[in-house]
Amino acid sequence: MNNYLAQLERALSDAAAREYSQTPSSAGGLPGARQQRQGRQAPGAGAGEAVGADRRSLRRLPGFAVATALLLAATTAAATIVVLGDRGSAPLTGTVPSLRILRYDVPLTPDLEAGHAGWCSFPRFSITRIRMPDSGGGTCSPAYTPGSPILLAGGEPISNYRDLLRSSHTPLTPAQGNVNLFWAIVTQKVAAIRLRPGLVVAATRDPRLQPGWKAVITFVSGQIDPVALDSAGREIHAPSAPAQLTRTSTRAYNPRVDATSTPCSIHVSPLPWVTAAWQVLATHAPALGSTVEPNVLFSCARSWYSIKGSSVAVSAAILLGARRPHRAAPNLPGLTATSHSGIFTEDGGASGPILAKRVGHAWLVVQGPSLMTDMLLLGALHAQGTALR
């Protein structure tokens, strides 16, 4: 079994042990990880005005940074896996097979955290006409060396959405509560993922993913032992070591008082409804070259804005091409043109939609819960820095 998938198996077991020693609806995290998406207190905000800026959990594993909240069923280790649905992958968006009232969506976005180059997914569950508060699930993974078969993988327990189902008068049975969404974004060489001997889920293409990438989406209960397979059914082994260049140092930045030359920085025109702002910058924009795939983006700067009347901050980021930061940055996955010339949107999942526009050879992006607010803020932002010249 591949080393990184062996780590995934151990992570699943650890998560299950934590899950069943807690309440049924809680999701276990991995050692050393932030358990929930952390809220940020807006500068100058009063007590009780915490702002949920970077609302995610970063659950990373050495060698293969796959983070997951997949849980074991409360049965013996030899329990039979139940796969709900076809053996081929489900689409990135659809309905939960055992709960047709419950819809799911698995987006893929660049990691917007300053100094990072990698990918994130914050799955979203919903019921028609019922708004679901952010549950805090999701994962981010650094960009690995070309040849790594699995780019990002994780899971989400259906039991996390017990309250959402209760609001629609839909009870969650014990069997349904043991079901977990499993997702993986894989490279072209992966034909399928074997969850255990005799149980294989085929990978499928999706227009929301980068060219050559595929998805494996399924709903499972019980213990799994994921292994990437090629078209001949052979295990695919990852490169001996992943790139260790996907993070750079960062520092806080105040554009009003900091005159130091920076690779990237974000400035905003005065807006009466923006009550506070803060920013983190990468200290340099590394050229990662062939150590990462051509479509990887590097976050050079990220800022957050406290919006009057809202408890959730809107964030912005400057994205450069990770291979060559002074050349045109590749497109974000799944970009869709808006009615505004030069502005595109990408589904950011539970963290909110992403708006993006070209600024020279870089992307300037905004993410928040309201497209109207995001659009106004994007129009007021200005990207500067030595890496943009």
Side-chain angles (χ1 to χ4, degrees):
M1 184 175 63
N2 299 345
N3 289 337
Y4 59 86
L5 291 172
Q7 294 171 1
L8 172 57
E9 180 186 10
R10 290 193 297 270
L12 300 181
S13 299
D14 292 344
R18 284 187 293 275
E19 165 69 6
Y20 291 107
S21 65
Q22 300 174 22
T23 60
S25 62
S26 63
L30 300 184
R34 293 187 295 196
Q35 300 300 308
Q36 299 292 333
R37 299 178 194 170
Q38 300 297 316
R40 294 179 184 265
Q41 183 74 23
E49 297 179 356
V51 179
D54 184 14
R55 301 170 300 145
R56 69 181 186 181
S57 55
L58 294 180
R59 305 164 186 169
R60 303 178 187 272
L61 289 176
F64 179 65
V66 56
T68 179
L70 264 178
L71 308 175
L72 303 181
T75 56
T76 67
T80 301
I81 288 184
V82 179
V83 175
L84 308 177
D86 297 332
R87 296 299 173 92
S89 173
L92 290 175
T93 299
T95 58
V96 178
S98 62
L99 286 163
R100 292 293 180 179
I101 192 173
L102 187 63
R103 291 191 58 80
Y104 71 90
D105 179 68
V106 182
L108 181 71
T109 65
D111 190 341
L112 301 185
E113 195 72 19
H116 289 194
W119 304 101
C120 296
S121 183
F122 302 133
R124 173 178 54 210
F125 286 79
S126 62
I127 293 176
T128 304
R129 296 185 297 276
I130 298 178
R131 181 180 178 85
M132 174 62 188
D134 186 359
S135 69
T139 183
C140 290
S141 175
Y144 285 93
T145 52
S148 297
I150 299 181
L151 304 168
L152 183 69
E156 184 77 1
I158 300 303
S159 59
N160 279 356
Y161 301 90
R162 194 182 305 272
D163 289 343
L164 174 62
L165 291 164
R166 188 179 294 117
S167 67
S168 66
H169 308 289
T170 303
L172 189 65
T173 68
Q176 292 168 335
N178 285 331
V179 173
N180 306 279
L181 165 66
F182 171 82
W183 79 88
I185 307 300
V186 301
T187 57
Q188 185 170 304
K189 66 174 67 177
V190 177
I193 288 183
R194 185 178 67 219
L195 297 180
R196 62 161 290 168
L199 182 56
V200 177
V201 180
T204 59
R205 301 187 186 279
D206 192 282
R208 289 166 60 185
L209 299 178
Q210 302 281 27
W213 289 3
K214 295 181 286 185
V216 175
I217 309 291
T218 193
F219 290 85
V220 301
S221 62
Q223 186 173 2
I224 66 171
D225 178 14
V227 177
L229 305 175
D230 63 17
S231 58
R234 296 183 296 258
E235 294 186 16
I236 302 175
H237 297 282
S240 57
Q244 299 297 326
L245 304 172
T246 55
R247 285 189 182 185
T248 64
S249 58
T250 58
R251 66 181 182 89
Y253 176 71
N254 186 340
R256 296 181 179 179
V257 300
D258 195 335
T260 306
S261 179
T262 61
C264 303
S265 60
I266 304 172
H267 302 261
V268 61
S269 301
L271 296 170
W273 40 273
V274 174
T275 59
W278 64 109
Q279 188 167 172
V280 177
L281 311 181
T283 56
H284 64 287
L288 302 183
S290 60
T291 61
V292 295
E293 296 283 357
N295 49 23
V296 174
L297 293 154
F298 171 77
S299 179
C300 190
R302 193 176 189 190
S303 55
W304 292 266
Y305 304 93
S306 180
I307 306 301
K308 186 176 182 180
S310 175
S311 61
V312 178
V314 179
S315 75
I318 297 174
L319 301 178
L320 304 173
R323 278 197 166 191
R324 297 174 180 85
H326 292 284
R327 296 190 181 182
N331 287 340
L332 285 69
L335 279 184
T336 302
T338 69
S339 58
H340 300 267
S341 178
I343 298 180
F344 302 85
T345 185
E346 179 194 26
D347 187 354
S351 295
I354 292 177
L355 290 179
K357 70 176 182 180
R358 286 279 186 184
V359 179
H361 57 269
W363 288 101
L364 178 61
V365 303
V366 170
Q367 184 175 36
S370 167
L371 274 175
M372 180 179 297
T373 299
D374 298 352
M375 188 72 73
L376 292 172
L377 183 61
L378 183 62
L381 296 180
H382 310 280
Q384 300 178 10
T386 58
L388 302 177
R389 296 171 187 167

